[in-house]
Structures are given as structure tokens and as C-alpha cells.
Amino acid sequence: MSFRRAARLAFGFVGGSAVLVCAAVAADKNGYFGERFRLRDTSNAVHAAQPSAWPTANGWDYNWDRRDPSSMVNGKRKESAGDNGSPDTENNIPKATRHIFLIRHCQYNLNGNGDKERVLTPLGREQAELTGQRLAALGLKHDLLIHSSMTRATETANIISKYLPGVELVSCDLLREGAPIEPVPPVSHWKPEAVQYHEDGARIEAAFRRYIHRADAKQKDDSYEIIVCHANVIRYFVCRALQFPPEGWLRIGLNNGSITWLTIRPSGRVALRALGDSGFMPPDKLTRT
């Protein structure tokens, strides 16, 4: 059989198949097949197989904290330095790693009338003792202990500090509990007003920018800082630091007194060393209220 004849036969079959497919689709749209034999629409399946939300290979923003050395150099000096680099850039390069321990406050009295009466329960005080012992057992040189100004976080921090003598205690209103951002997916049992997201979200984001960033260029040694605050704040911090969608914060669960450990390298890389670690507590001491 000649090549031309074979080609004509092949293209004839293909063309005929195309006509049959088009006719079938048209008949299906007009209801000729009925429900039982209706053609399946695969357009959604095709889109589902091609997720658009996956990060690309170069998707990490190294200047997420706006402290990348190259972004902190005066534009004119940077231009004049050319390919040789700017001495200002060299001076702004961080050299130390920051370790940040995010501690959720321990169990407290949910029936208290206002913040002052929402003190730690006897079990909550035991949990704080266990968390303090765990932090001390790590054998690290902790530099600072920052805590939310809410009663349950303050009491937790005070108990922990007994096991870390010499570590400075600092209270901060920015770390108070709140609604950081509307969660996705939403939940039916917790629906703050839009104004609460607006007010709390700005405050909690300000706390993130104050405490979660790479080391200053003047810092010579690695640092180990403890922040005692609240579940919503910690979960939001973790999502933001890892450059995950912050709306997913409510998908994470944290036990009372648990330890979350973030490491921030001089390059701006962030690692989650531990998330909600409470394995140092006996099972009968674990709560999530």
C-alpha cells in the first residue's frame, strides 16, 4: 500500500472519529442520551489535577521580614558599587541564628468574669511547672522571656521563669489573644465580628513583625528567646513564618503548655523544629482548653 493511500485511510478514520465525537456531544447536550448514558463532564477533574496554589521552585520570599541585606542598602550607594558590591551590604549581613520558643499558656479558669479572674487552674499550674522543667532541661542559654499581658499567660511565664534564673521577663500587649484572620474553612462554633478581625488582625500582625524576623547584623551569637502567649497567636505566627496561607491557622491544634520551636537563619530561611510539643507531660496532664 502506498504512503498516500495509507495516509488518506488514516486521516479518514480520524476525521470520522472527530465527527462522531462532535455529534455525540451535541446529542448529549440536547438530551438524546437520557440521564443514564449522559457523558461525564471532566473539565473540573482536569482543573483539579492542576493545582494553582502549589509554590514554585523559587517561591520562597527571602525578604519576607524586609531585612534582607540587599534591601537595606541605600539605592544610590548600591548603584555606584556596581558588581563589586557595597560595603553597606557587607555590614548588614546577619551572622547569628534566632531560636524562638512559642509557649501556649496553661489551663485556666474558663468561668472567670473577665481576664483578671481567668487564672490558671491547679492543673494549669502543674503544666507550667512541667514546661519550665522541659525548657531548663534543654540546656540552652535563654536570652529573654516575653509574655502576653493577659493573666493566664503572665502566670504561666512567672512559673516557667523559676526554672530559668536570670532570664529577663517582659510583658507585651501585642501578644494578647484575638482573631488574627478569618479562617478557611470557616467553623460554626466560633464566628467573631468583622471588626474583631480588623482590630485583632492588625495587632497580631504587628506582634509578628516585632518578634519573628532574622537576627540583626550586630548580633554575634545565636539567641534563644521564649514567647508565652496564646493558641491563635502562635498558629498565625507559624503560618506566616513558613509562608503558608495564614487563613489556615485554625487547622492546627495546640495543647496547653506546649512548645513550638521556630529557627530563623541569617539567610532568612525558617525551620519549624517542633510544633505543639507536649510529649514531656504525662497523658493525664494534657488539655487543650
Side-chain angles (χ1 to χ4, degrees), residues 30-184:
N30 288 310
Y32 294 136
F33 291 156
E35 289 299 323
R36 183 178 178 184
F37 299 103
R38 186 168 296 281
L39 296 176
R40 186 178 67 174
D41 181 7
T42 60
S43 59
N44 289 335
V46 172
H47 288 304
Q50 299 174 342
S52 59
W54 289 105
T56 63
N58 298 318
W60 180 263
D61 177 12
Y62 280 92
N63 195 28
W64 59 273
D65 58 354
R66 298 300 179 263
R67 292 169 183 254
D68 185 84
S70 62
S71 69
M72 301 176 70
V73 178
N74 181 283
K76 292 182 179 179
R77 292 183 181 179
K78 184 177 180 180
E79 184 177 328
S80 63
D83 296 334
N84 295 325
S86 168
D88 288 346
T89 302
E90 296 296 326
N91 293 334
N92 285 322
I93 295 178
K95 300 174 180 60
T97 295
R98 294 186 68 216
H99 298 270
I100 302 171
F101 296 86
L102 301 166
I103 313 298
R104 188 190 176 193
H105 63 78
C106 296
Q107 187 191 63
Y108 68 102
N109 175 24
L110 290 169
N111 298 320
N113 184 20
D115 177 59
K116 290 185 177 180
E117 293 185 10
R118 291 174 183 169
V119 298
L120 295 185
T121 63
L123 174 57
R125 300 186 73 83
E126 286 185 61
Q127 292 170 339
E129 298 277 352
L130 292 168
T131 302
Q133 292 169 15
R134 173 58 177 170
L135 290 169
L138 292 176
L140 303 172
K141 183 181 178 300
H142 297 284
D143 300 275
L144 190 63
L145 202 170
I146 309 160
H147 62 86
S148 157
S149 57
M150 297 187 82
T151 300
R152 54 189 182 270
T154 301
E155 289 187 343
T156 301
N158 286 335
I159 294 173
I160 290 174
S161 68
K162 295 191 307 181
Y163 297 92
L164 305 171
V167 177
E168 182 183 2
L169 269 171
V170 177
S171 178
C172 179
D173 287 334
L174 292 178
L175 293 167
R176 295 173 72 89
E177 183 64 300
I181 188 172
E182 190 170 358
V184 176

